[in-house]
């Protein structure tokens, strides 16, 4: 796919040499080891073998240890053990045989690792032809050194193989002198062996350069006056050597090889075509090589009559219609040639397949430098910075081209690029999906909801990265931008983000080399954020605030691509280890993408202006019509009308008056409904709950449900994020719902009347998120219509159920059924005659990993074997008609299709179920508290004791003040958690959710308790809702998870993120 490799110049490979030489020279000045500068006085180069010409034993060992599950570092440690007199060094001096060495060495390794270490297998690998192969870059360098008349030597610590031959897997003809430790009986760093080498070369120490990967060996050489180069990676070492010698060591066309057998093209017809094209008469040969890369579109280097050309063609065989679009590449490069964007000079597009088998185009070979390693090793920080600045500048040039002016206005669709891209990549990902990757699922939901509001449309490159650029050899200037295969019209910021991927990937990342493990400041490379800023500055744009979105999208795209590769590797020839490795990359990259989504959420959240400062004008529940219900108004704003710009999806909406106009209208409609219908009905509803008919639903509730439905006050709870098309609910955000839920929470009955009560809400959300269409049709619809009710059965009397992994109820497969057995309690709603569905959590596989043992089944309540033992009471309250039941499940047969998502997915589902539903109770608790405080205020104003109204008592005033403060604190935390859930998702809001669950029930208990106290004994009676509120607030310190569990979460996250 990449043409980058086509343009790597051979003779200019030493680009920036002047600068680089200076850099090296400066290093020399501070070092006594390097006394010579420049290249003229050197007459020989001496190479160590392992780690310089072939892979080092240490590197081979690392790979072998992983494959053989040997503790990492064992081999290296054992090699070094004993120093001069250890088995390895004695082996190098041929004091022991291979057999003797392996015996001693094996024992040592096994002692060190406390496991049996098959050292024979390591030794075979180390000496195998597969591993012991000379690095091509070194072969090339040696050829050039000798061509310049310098001598070469190898000075190696090596050993005799069992066949009595010394281990030297090199072409001996490459060297004038070979010095082997096993032959001489002396090892480096003994100075004698260096002297021996110099003697055989007939040179003074200062006339030679020595390359080794080990510090002590280099030190010994340097102390004799030999110039040294430490070899960490052969490519960089060769560059350093070039700088010392003063001539290039790479002369062929880099990254080319003889044309592969399957990729051969007819030379005669190509030559005829080129002669016609170039108008030349030549009888000379046509030289043809193939670039290593560019397998998607095979790419060839051609030399004909002193012309250096590149041919890029479609591959043979049947192709996907939109892939391998070389015509587009040709078109855009031709169009850009005169538009100030550096591109290779394209010569011709030939669509006649008879010439080389498939359509192709020809361009001129562009000499220059390509930096493959984005950390730019060997350069000075200022040079690195200059390279990245030049990269940024050329990107700005691409994005500044007027597509119309260069005839590319129809090169892609106009506008809506990101939404289209998101759709495309979601589709591609789904097509190659092999298992559920949680981060990908979250991104698929998140990306469409966070699309940038404004997008520019320009030409975009589509694969803009450092190694697609050819640089000038002597200055930081881009000579050509390559690989336009993915170019189109689109949002330019996608290119900017894409060119920053390397910032976040490790240097070992196999597909795209990165440098997240390097110190950018030290390297001099601008950080991604700065790179974005540079771009905006050059383009004259305001800073890109949402650049994290673009990073999230770019990594999502990369993850989708990797998933495709993984899928193909599963079906193709790749080994299972390789396939598994690729699979892990998708997950790794998707997690990176999600990290950016979270960052973007936090950014929006943090930068959110508090548009409507809290200025309370009044906060009263006016005198109630009955003792039970208030008919006042709650307002936190002195602003009578919120401006339409105060859309509730913008800032953190802390008062109902700041909601967007439609939601504000809904809020007021609900408030009116509460005042008109709900509060007045409370006494009757309460007496029904105390009557003998309490285990049947109250007809008044059913009547009020119809009214609420008719007024559109129905199913308000489903968050927009779970139901983006508003198929099932009102499509409110969590913050919008928080205000409405609080209002419903001021009455114990309103949630059910508006079909917004637990546990149905959680169960409905579960079905929306995870249910099959059949499950939705059967269970979700009746629940949404309010015709049925449901319960959730997890807690068990015999185990501590705050840790859900403890649950024991079994779900066993039997033919086409699952059979469940278990004992549950505290199952809210199970006694209600309308309850048709029990969402049951049990264990399908007690031997699976801890969080994969559980499964969720949809159990029809009329299935035989469900035995309700008794209703439980909370402080004596039964909470009829739903109640809280203790129940046994005895051989309950449930059809297999009632499993949700699949066996082992129970934990995942339970967490999803507790998504937004997790803070609904907290929202209602704020409602309880507001109502309690309003009732308290009304009471203390009218009640006189000891000659004055209670409200004039300082302690009462203090209680009122304290309650107000506590409610406001808790409400802000509820809203903040809801807001964060909207912006960054439920996972990112985990800390805030846990905090509010810690805070809200206790706060409500205290506020309600003060109200009860102010009421006197009446506060404990059922004449007021206070006692019931109090009971619920207390119970929620278990029902919504025990306080301690939330505290543990808060502490864990605090320690993890805020140290
Ligand atoms: C009114 C009400 C309604 C309920 N409705 C339902 C329902 O519909 N469905 C359902 O399945 N369950 C329901 N429950 C049960 C509720 O979910 C459990 O009570 C809760 O999960 C705690 O489990 P447990 O009672 O087994 O307490 P245990 O797990 O035995 O815990 C006991 C105590 O141990 C301490 N503890 C536990 N973990 C930690 C920790 N990490 N650190 C420090 N201390 C800790 C806490 O003090 C905790 O209260 C309801 C409970 C109530 C009160």
């Amino acid at each position: 796919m990449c043409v980058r490799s086509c343009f790597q110049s051979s003779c200019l490979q030493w680009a920036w040499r002047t600068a680089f030489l200076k850099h090296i020279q400066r290093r020399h000045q501070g070092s006594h080891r390097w006394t010579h500068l420049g290249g003229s006085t050197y007459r020989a180069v001496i190479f160590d073998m392992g780690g310089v010409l072939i892979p080092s034993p240490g590197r081979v060992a690392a790979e072998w240890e992983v494959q053989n599950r040997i503790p990492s570092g064992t081999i290296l440690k054992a090699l070094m053990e004993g120093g001069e007199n250890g088995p390895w060094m004695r082996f190098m001096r041929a004091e022991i045989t291979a057999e003797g060495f392996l015996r001693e060495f094996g024992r040592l390794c096994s002692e060190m690792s406390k496991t049996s270490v098959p050292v024979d297998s390591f030794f075979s690998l180390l000496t195998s032809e597969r591993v012991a192969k000379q690095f091509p870059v070194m072969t090339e360098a040696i050829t050039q050194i000798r061509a310049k008349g310098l001598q070469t030597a190898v000075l190696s610590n090596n050993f005799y193989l069992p066949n009595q031959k010394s281990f030297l897997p090199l072409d001996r003809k490459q060297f004038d002198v070979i010095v082997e430790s096993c032959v001489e009986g002396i090892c480096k760093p003994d100075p004698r062996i260096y002297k021996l080498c110099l003697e055989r070369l007939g040179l003074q120490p200062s006339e030679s350069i020595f390359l080794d990967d080990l510090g002590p060996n280099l030190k010994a050489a340097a102390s004799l006056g030999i110039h040294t180069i430490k070899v960490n990676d052969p490519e960089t070492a060769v560059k350093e050597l070039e700088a010392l010698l003063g001539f290039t060591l790479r002369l062929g066309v880099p990254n080319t090889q003889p044309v592969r057998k399957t990729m051969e093209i007819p030379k005669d017809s190509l030559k005829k075509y080129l002669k016609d094209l170039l108008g030349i008469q030549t009888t000379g040969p046509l030289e043809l090589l193939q670039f290593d890369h560019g397998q998607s579109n095979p790419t060839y280097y051609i030399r004909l009559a002193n012309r250096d050309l590149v041919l890029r063609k479609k591959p043979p065989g049947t192709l996907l219609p939109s892939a391998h679009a070389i015509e587009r590449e040709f078109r855009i490069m031709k169009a850009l040639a005169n538009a100030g964007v550096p591109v290779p000079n394209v010569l011709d597009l030939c669509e006649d397949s008879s010439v080389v088998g498939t359509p192709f185009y020809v361009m001129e070979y562009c000499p220059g430098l390509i930096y493959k390693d984005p950390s730019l090793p060997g350069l000075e920080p200022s040079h690195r910075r200059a390279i990245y600045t030049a990269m940024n500048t050329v990107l700005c040039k691409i994005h500044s081209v007027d597509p119309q002016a260069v005839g590319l206005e129809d090169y892609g669709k106009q506008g809506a690029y990101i939404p289209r891209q998101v759709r495309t990549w979601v589709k591609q990902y789904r097509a190659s999906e092999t298992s559920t990757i949680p981060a990908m699922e979250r991104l698929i939901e998140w990306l469409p909801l966070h699309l940038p509001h404004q997008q520019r449309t320009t030409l975009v490159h589509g694969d803009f990265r450092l190694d697609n650029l050819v640089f000038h050899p002597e200055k930081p200037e881009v000579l050509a931008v390559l690989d336009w295969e993915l170019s189109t019209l689109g949002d330019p910021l996608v290119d900017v983000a894409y060119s920053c991927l390397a910032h976040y990937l490790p240097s070992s990342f196999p597909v795209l080399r990165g440098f997240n493990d390097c110190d950018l400041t030290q390297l001099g490379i601008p950080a991604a954020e700065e790179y974005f800023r540079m771009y905006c500055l050059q383009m004259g744009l305001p800073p890109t605030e949402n650049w994290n979105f673009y990073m999230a999208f770019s990594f999502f795209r990369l993850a989708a691509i990797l998933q495709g590769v993984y899928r193909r590797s599963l079906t193709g020839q790749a080994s299972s280890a390789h396939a598994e490795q690729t699979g892990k990359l998708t997950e790794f990259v998707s997690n990176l993408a999600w990290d950016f989504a979270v960052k973007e959420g936090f950014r929006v959240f943090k930068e959110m202006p508090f548009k409507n400062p809290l200025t309370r004008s009044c906060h009263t529940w006016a005198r109630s019509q009955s003792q039970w219900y208030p008919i006042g108004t709650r307002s936190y704003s002195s602003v009578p009308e919120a401006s339409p710009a105060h859309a509730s999806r913008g800032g953190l909406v802390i008062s109902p008056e700041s909601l967007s106009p439609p939601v504000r209208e809904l809020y007021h409609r609900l408030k009116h409904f509460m005042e008109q219908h709900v509060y007045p009905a409370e006494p009757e509803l309460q007496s029904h709950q105390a009557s003998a008919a309490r285990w049947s639903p109250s007809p008044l509730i059913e009547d009020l449900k119809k009214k609420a439905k008719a007024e559109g006050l129905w199913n308000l709870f489903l968050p927009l994020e779970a139901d983006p098309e508003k198929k099932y609910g009102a499509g409110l955000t969590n913050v919008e719902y928080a205000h409405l839920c609080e209002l419903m929470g001021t009455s114990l009955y309103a949630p059910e009347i508006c079909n917004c009560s637990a546990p149905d809400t959680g169960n409905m959300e579960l079905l929306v998120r995870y249910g099959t269409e059949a499950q939705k049709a059967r269970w979700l619809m009746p629940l949404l219509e309010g015709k049925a009710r449901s319960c959730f059965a997890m807690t068990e009397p015999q185990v501590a159920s705050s840790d859900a992994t403890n649950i024991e109820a079994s779900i066993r497969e039997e033919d086409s059924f699952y059979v469940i057995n278990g004992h549950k309690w505290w199952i809210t709603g199970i006694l209600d005659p309308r309850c048709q569905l029990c969402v049951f959590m049990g264990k399908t596989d007690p031997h699976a990993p801890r969080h994969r043992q559980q499964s969720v089944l949809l159990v029809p309540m009329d299935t035989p074997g469900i035995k309700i033992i008794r209703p439980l009471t909370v402080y004596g309250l039964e909470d009829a008609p739903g109640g809280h039941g203790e129940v046994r499940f005895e051989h309950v047969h449930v059809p297999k299709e009632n499993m949700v998502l699949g066996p082992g997915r129970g934990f995942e589902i339970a967490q999803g179920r507790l998504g937004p539903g997790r803070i609904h109770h907290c929202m209602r608790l704020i409602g309880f508290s507001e109502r309690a405080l309003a009732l308290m205020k009304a009471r203390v104003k009218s009640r006189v004791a000891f000659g004055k109204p209670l409200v004039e008592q300082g302690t009462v005033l203090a209680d009122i003040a304290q309650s107000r403060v506590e409610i406001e604190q808790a409400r802000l935390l509820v809203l903040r958690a809801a807001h964060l859930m909207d912006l960054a998702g439920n996972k990112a809001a985990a800390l805030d959710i846990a905090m509010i669950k810690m805070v809200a029930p206790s706060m409500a208990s205290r506020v309600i308790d003060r109200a009860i106290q102010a009421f006197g004994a009446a506060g404990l009676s059922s004449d007021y809702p206070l006692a019931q509120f109090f009971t619920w607030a207390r119970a929620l310190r278990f029902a919504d998870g025990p306080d301690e569990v939330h505290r543990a979460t808060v502490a864990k996250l605090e320690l993890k993120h805020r140290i």
Side-chain angles (χ1 to χ4, degrees):
M1 187 165 96
C2 306
V3 254
R4 57 183 166 278
S5 41
C6 323
F7 302 93
Q8 205 154 351
S9 157
S10 50
C11 52
L12 296 168
Q13 183 69 28
W14 44 273
W16 281 30
R17 203 176 63 194
T18 327
F20 186 58
L21 269 173
K22 275 190 204 143
H23 167 58
I24 294 290
Q25 285 164 5
R26 266 202 296 281
R27 281 173 58 186
H28 287 187
Q29 281 154 15
S31 157
H32 68 277
R33 294 189 299 154
W34 293 326
T35 48
H36 281 247
L37 303 178
S40 58
T41 54
Y42 298 116
R43 294 174 56 199
V45 181
I46 307 169
F47 297 88
D48 166 42
M49 185 169 70
V52 174
L53 297 174
I54 62 171
S56 72
R59 187 166 289 188
V60 178
E63 189 190 316
W64 179 84
E65 281 168 346
V66 172
Q67 279 164 2
N68 291 276
R69 296 173 200 278
I70 302 296
S72 155
T74 303
I75 294 285
L76 205 58
K77 221 163 111 198
L79 288 178
M80 283 154 62
E81 179 72 16
E84 282 294 289
N85 297 317
W88 177 243
M89 291 305 263
R90 280 188 282 128
F91 185 35
M92 297 292 127
R93 292 194 297 265
E95 290 165 13
I96 47 175
T97 61
E99 291 79 11
F101 164 71
L102 288 173
R103 239 189 342 270
E104 217 176 305
F105 188 61
R107 205 171 41 241
L108 206 55
C109 288
S110 301
E111 271 166 25
M112 282 176 170
S113 63
K114 309 219 174 343
T115 168
S116 149
V117 180
V119 289
D120 286 354
S121 121
F122 165 66
F123 191 70
S124 306
L125 181 72
L126 181 72
T127 53
S128 68
E129 271 181 35
R130 178 169 82 80
V131 166
K133 245 202 249 157
Q134 186 164 312
F135 298 124
V137 63
M138 287 297 180
T139 311
E140 215 175 310
I142 292 168
T143 313
Q144 299 315 319
I145 294 165
R146 288 166 69 87
K148 287 276 176 189
L150 272 73
Q151 295 187 78
T152 52
V154 61
L155 169 53
S156 173
N157 280 1
N158 65 346
F159 46 82
Y160 282 116
L161 292 164
N163 62 10
Q164 300 309 313
K165 285 190 179 151
S166 66
F167 175 63
L168 198 88
L170 307 171
D171 178 359
R172 290 178 176 253
K173 291 199 289 292
Q174 299 173 102
F175 305 100
D176 299 284
V177 167
I178 294 174
V179 179
E180 299 172 84
S181 65
C182 59
V183 176
E184 310 302 336
I186 318 170
C187 272
K188 288 178 289 186
D190 187 326
R192 288 178 297 164
I193 197 159
Y194 300 87
K195 286 181 189 157
L196 195 66
C197 184
L198 290 170
E199 207 178 286
R200 289 184 190 166
L201 284 166
L203 296 177
Q204 292 302 312
S206 59
E207 291 171 313
S208 60
I209 303 169
F210 173 59
L211 290 86
D212 200 306
D213 60 328
L214 299 179
N217 294 351
L218 290 165
K219 204 170 160 196
S223 65
L224 292 174
I226 303 174
H227 305 284
T228 58
I229 293 177
K230 169 116 169 69
V231 181
N232 292 319
D233 120 78
E235 295 261 354
T236 315
V238 166
K239 279 190 193 155
E240 215 167 314
L241 187 59
E242 278 179 335
L244 278 178
L245 292 173
F247 55 85
T248 180
L249 296 176
R250 318 254 333 229
L251 271 188
V253 180
N255 302 309
T256 57
Q257 57 181 354
V259 178
R260 278 179 228 130
K261 273 266 167 288
T262 51
M263 294 289 175
E264 275 172 359
I265 50 177
K267 274 189 176 180
D268 289 346
S269 61
L270 176 60
K271 188 169 171 184
K272 180 176 176 315
Y273 161 83
L274 288 173
K275 277 164 68 176
D276 290 348
L277 176 70
L278 304 170
I280 47 172
Q281 294 300 322
T282 177
T283 48
L286 178 142
E287 197 185 328
L288 194 62
L289 292 167
Q290 186 176 358
F291 286 98
D292 300 342
H293 307 290
Q295 291 178 17
S296 140
N297 289 327
T299 308
Y300 303 82
Y301 165 82
I302 302 167
R303 190 164 169 82
L304 181 68
N306 288 334
R307 297 288 298 263
D308 294 311
L309 305 169
V310 173
L311 179 150
R312 189 152 154 89
K313 74 188 272 286
K314 290 191 184 217
T318 324
L319 306 177
L320 288 173
S322 60
H324 312 282
I326 58 150
E327 302 84 354
R328 280 174 69 83
E329 273 191 17
F330 180 80
R331 182 182 167 196
I332 190 166
M333 286 201 270
K334 199 168 169 56
L336 290 178
N338 299 318
V341 177
V343 282
N345 184 19
V346 287
L347 301 176
D348 189 40
L349 171 69
C350 175
E351 293 181 278
D352 176 0
S353 295
S354 68
V355 182
V356 294
T358 56
F360 64 95
Y361 68 91
V362 180
M363 56 192 154
E364 278 175 6
Y365 179 78
C366 172
L369 268 180
I370 291 176
Y371 296 105
K372 283 187 176 173
D373 185 336
S375 70
L376 300 173
L379 294 191
E380 279 192 27
S382 60
H383 294 155
R384 293 197 188 97
R385 191 173 179 82
I387 291 279
Y388 275 89
T389 309
M391 179 177 177
N392 205 294
T393 305
V394 82
L395 188 57
C396 293
K397 280 187 187 161
I398 297 172
H399 294 165
S400 303
V401 170
D402 174 1
Q404 202 164 3
V406 295
L408 291 174
E409 65 274 23
D410 61 344
Y411 195 62
K413 289 188 184 137
Q414 289 283 343
Y417 174 71
I418 300 267
R420 266 186 285 119
Q421 282 278 303
V422 170
R423 278 199 299 275
T424 305
W425 289 105
V426 168
K427 222 159 106 191
Q428 298 251 20
Y429 171 71
R430 289 286 187 224
S432 57
E433 194 176 0
T434 44
S435 67
T436 305
I437 299 177
M440 286 305 266
E441 295 307 315
R442 291 196 294 271
L443 286 159
I444 289 169
E445 282 183 20
W446 185 87
L447 286 166
L449 292 175
H450 294 81
L451 296 171
H453 295 305
Q454 288 192 333
Q455 289 172 44
R456 289 182 302 134
T457 299
T458 68
L459 280 177
V460 292
H461 179 275
D463 192 11
F464 193 79
R465 36 188 235 219
L466 191 66
D467 59 353
N468 271 334
L469 307 179
V470 183
F471 276 87
H472 193 286
E474 275 152 16
K475 51 186 177 180
E477 184 188 315
V478 177
L479 295 179
V481 181
L482 314 175
D483 207 348
W484 292 85
E485 198 178 349
L486 299 174
S487 59
T488 184
L489 295 183
D491 183 338
L493 291 177
V494 171
D495 270 349
V496 189
Y498 196 74
S499 53
C500 291
L501 292 188
H503 282 72
Y504 300 96
L505 293 169
S507 47
S508 57
F509 196 75
V511 191
L512 202 66
R513 202 158 169 176
F515 48 80
N516 80 339
D517 34 9
C518 303
D519 180 341
L520 286 193
T521 323
Q522 226 171 38
L523 286 180
I525 297 176
E529 203 169 353
E530 191 191 344
Y531 187 83
F532 264 93
R533 269 202 307 275
M534 259 156 91
Y535 172 85
C536 293
L537 208 69
Q538 294 206 56
M539 292 297 286
L541 299 170
T544 309
E545 289 178 339
N546 58 343
W547 67 278
N548 280 318
F549 170 87
Y550 286 93
M551 294 306 305
F553 168 70
S554 294
F555 276 114
F556 172 74
R557 191 176 88 151
L558 181 61
I561 293 170
L562 289 171
Q563 180 61 27
V565 176
Y566 175 52
R567 176 68 180 252
R568 285 194 294 279
S569 74
L570 287 181
T571 46
Q573 305 296 316
S575 69
S576 61
H578 172 79
E580 196 185 319
Q581 192 58 31
T582 323
K584 281 187 187 142
L585 295 183
T586 311
E587 218 166 325
F588 174 81
V589 170
S590 64
N591 282 329
L592 270 180
W594 181 248
D595 284 349
F596 281 102
V598 171
K599 278 188 210 155
E600 175 62 6
F602 273 106
R603 181 199 62 87
V604 175
F605 182 65
K606 279 186 191 154
E607 290 177 9
M608 213 54 79
F610 281 77
K611 291 175 182 166
N612 201 1
L614 187 65
T615 47
R616 180 181 305 280
S617 56
C618 64
H619 185 102
T620 58
W621 292 103
R623 182 89 191 96
S624 57
Q625 286 173 10
S626 78
Q627 290 166 304
W628 266 69
Y629 65 91
I631 53 165
T633 133
R634 179 188 141 217
S635 163
Y636 294 96
S637 173
S638 56
V639 185
E641 274 293 299
S643 98
H646 282 183
S648 18
R649 265 156 229 169
L652 170 57
V653 180
I654 56 170
S655 105
E657 296 310 321
S658 308
L659 290 164
S660 67
V663 183
R664 195 169 59 218
E665 192 278 323
L666 188 65
Y667 178 88
H668 285 293
R669 210 170 344 132
L670 176 63
K671 191 156 174 285
H672 183 69
F673 183 80
M674 299 285 292
E675 286 160 2
Q676 288 292 304
H677 301 291
V678 180
Y679 302 131
E682 283 179 334
E684 187 181 331
L685 295 172
Q686 201 280 328
S687 11
H688 178 81
Q689 277 194 307
S691 73
R694 64 186 182 281
W695 293 108
S696 311
S698 148
L700 180 54
I701 284 267
E702 292 303 314
D703 187 40
L704 289 170
K705 276 165 68 175
K706 280 188 203 133
K707 285 200 171 90
K709 204 185 225 174
E711 292 201 26
L713 301 169
W714 194 252
N715 292 338
L716 305 173
F717 63 95
L718 260 184
L720 187 61
E721 162 248 330
D723 177 27
E725 292 166 26
K726 299 189 195 179
K727 254 165 86 178
Y728 308 109
L732 300 178
T733 63
N734 285 297
V735 164
E736 288 167 340
Y737 182 61
H739 290 283
L740 293 148
C741 187
E742 177 187 324
L743 189 53
M744 284 187 267
T746 57
S747 165
L748 288 163
Y749 306 100
E752 185 186 351
I753 291 169
C754 297
N755 214 36
C756 292
S757 61
D760 293 333
T761 44
N763 292 339
M764 285 189 263
E765 201 181 324
L766 179 149
L767 288 162
V768 169
R769 281 180 193 265
Y770 309 114
T772 61
E773 287 313 311
Q775 288 168 347
K776 283 181 189 162
R778 173 148 185 212
W779 307 113
L780 178 61
M781 292 313 156
L783 284 168
L784 284 169
E785 286 168 17
K787 290 184 180 150
R789 298 218 61 185
S790 62
C791 62
F792 183 76
M794 183 191 74
T795 305
E796 297 174 2
Q798 71 280 12
V799 292
S801 302
S802 44
D803 175 0
T805 58
N806 282 344
I807 61 159
E808 290 175 346
S810 76
I811 304 179
R812 193 171 35 82
E813 272 188 80
E814 196 179 289
D815 305 325
S816 56
F817 287 94
Y818 283 110
V819 180
I820 59 182
N821 280 288
H823 186 180
K824 303 274 179 187
W825 74 344
W826 290 106
I827 310 309
T828 301
I830 199 163
L831 293 118
D832 194 316
R834 295 165 298 177
C835 181
Q836 295 181 13
L837 167 70
C838 173
V839 178
F840 183 91
M841 185 139 161
K843 276 194 181 165
T844 27
D845 181 1
H847 306 294
R850 239 174 122 226
H851 293 100
R852 303 285 297 177
Q853 298 176 355
Q854 304 76 7
S855 304
V856 164
L857 264 186
L858 302 176
V859 184
M861 278 302 292
D862 56 4
T863 318
I866 303 179
K867 296 186 179 152
I868 296 172
I869 300 168
R870 58 169 175 155
L872 296 154
T873 59
V874 182
Y875 287 140
L877 286 175
E878 289 168 319
D879 206 16
H884 311 285
E886 181 174 347
V887 54
R888 274 189 192 282
F889 293 80
E890 291 173 358
H891 308 295
V892 179
H893 282 61
V894 184
K896 277 201 169 157
E897 62 266 23
N898 286 17
M899 174 71 74
V900 185
L901 273 188
R905 310 283 296 270
F907 232 85
E908 196 183 315
I909 296 168
Q911 282 180 342
R913 181 185 181 276
L914 294 176
R918 299 187 72 165
I919 65 164
H920 292 174
H921 279 310
C922 300
M923 296 167 178
R924 289 187 206 106
L925 284 162
I926 308 288
F928 285 9
S929 312
E930 275 294 354
R931 179 91 181 269
L933 181 58
L935 288 169
M936 174 185 179
K937 287 190 294 182
R939 177 81 172 188
V940 294
K941 278 186 203 160
S942 64
R943 200 97 168 150
V944 177
F946 301 100
K948 55 181 178 183
L950 288 175
V951 76
E952 289 179 24
Q953 300 291 349
T955 53
V956 173
L957 288 173
D959 277 356
I960 290 173
Q962 191 61 33
S963 293
R964 168 51 58 212
V965 169
E966 289 183 8
I967 294 172
E968 296 303 339
Q969 287 173 334
R971 179 186 287 118
L972 279 175
L973 199 49
V974 169
L975 292 173
R976 194 179 114 120
H979 196 49
L980 205 50
M981 286 160 85
D982 288 333
L983 295 177
N986 301 344
K987 198 177 166 205
L991 174 64
D992 288 67
I993 293 171
M995 286 198 291
I996 189 54
K997 290 182 102 181
M998 247 180 83
V999 166
S1002 312
M1003 178 283 299
S1005 298
R1006 288 193 302 275
V1007 170
I1008 300 162
D1009 190 53
R1010 288 185 201 113
I1012 290 174
Q1013 195 65 20
F1015 258 80
L1020 296 174
S1021 75
S1022 52
D1023 288 356
Y1024 298 91
L1026 294 172
Q1028 256 175 297
F1029 280 159
F1030 184 84
T1031 308
W1032 261 110
R1034 183 66 188 85
L1036 283 171
R1037 291 177 60 196
F1038 296 116
D1040 222 9
D1043 288 355
E1044 291 82 355
V1045 173
H1046 306 309
R1047 253 182 247 147
T1049 307
V1050 172
K1052 196 173 93 190
L1053 293 173
E1054 175 70 21
L1055 288 167
K1056 190 168 163 197
H1057 296 302
R1058 302 198 188 197
I1059 282 179

